[in-house]
Every structure is written in structure tokens, then in C-alpha cells.
Amino acid sequence: DLSILGATWFKDTTFAIFEGAGNQYLYWYVNFTEATNVLGKTYDEIEKLYSDAATGCPMIMSNPMIKPGKKRLLMNSATVENWVAPSPPSGLGLYGRTVFTIDDNNFG
């Protein structure tokens, strides 16, 4: 199963997310500049606001009123030649314009 292992902030509404599943890792650039701000709202409130009036069914994924953040793949470790996965990767960081993986060897 794919899970978020870490994130790092770039500026204002942009950051990088590091996801992993097994030995495959995905680095994403995410921009929320044009996304719908639902900060402070519960899922139930969002569901009410953006439900189909006739059926009451949520239209969160198909509703053009809710815009998700834009996600762009920076790197897929499965496509990098000679990639050696950290054991296990603990997260990611940012130095200048470089995103890097943090490898925690559990101090052993």
C-alpha cells in the first residue's frame, strides 16, 4: 500500500510529498495556489456544501466547485537506473532547489 512518508514546504502553497510502497518511492511537487480552501471545515460540512441537491450524494471528486491541488511527479524510483532504496527512508528535505531523501539507520 502506498503511504505518505514525508513532506517538505517550498513556499506559501507549494510543497513536496514523498510516498512509498515496498521499494518504490514517488516524489511529488504539489501546488495548492488554485485549490479550494476547505481549511477549518469538517468532512460533513464539505459534503453538505457540495452534494447533489436532488440525490444528496457527495460530488466531491466530480464537482468543478472543488479544485484539488495540482500534483506533478518529480521522481519515481522505479524508473531510476541503479536506484538503491534507503533502509528505510525516513522522509525528505529541501536544500536550495534540491529535494533529498533522509535515511535514518536508527542510530545503530
Side-chain angles (χ1 to χ4, degrees):
D1 291 328
L2 193 62
S3 61
I4 295 176
L5 301 172
T8 191
W9 173 79
F10 284 119
K11 61 180 182 176
D12 298 329
T13 57
T14 57
F15 56 96
I17 294 177
F18 177 45
E19 296 178 310
N23 287 328
Q24 182 179 12
Y25 302 97
L26 304 170
Y27 294 79
W28 297 95
Y29 173 83
V30 184
N31 185 331
F32 282 98
T33 303
E34 297 176 14
T36 303
N37 186 349
V38 294
L39 188 63
K41 293 187 179 2
T42 66
Y43 182 82
D44 289 340
E45 290 171 322
I46 295 166
E47 194 175 46
K48 271 185 197 172
L49 287 172
Y50 303 106
S51 293
D52 182 300
T55 65
C57 294
M59 300 186 318
I60 290 173
M61 298 310 285
S62 61
N63 189 331
M65 291 176 61
I66 296 183
K67 295 181 182 177
K70 293 181 181 177
K71 192 164 108 171
R72 181 174 44 120
L73 185 63
L74 296 173
M75 187 190 88
N76 178 348
S77 67
T79 64
V80 177
E81 189 174 339
N82 299 319
W83 170 266
V84 177
S87 56
S90 301
L92 74 157
L94 178 66
Y95 182 76
R97 294 182 50 89
T98 303
V99 177
F100 58 89
T101 301
I102 298 168
D103 185 7
D104 179 4
N105 68 0
N106 296 322
F107 308 103

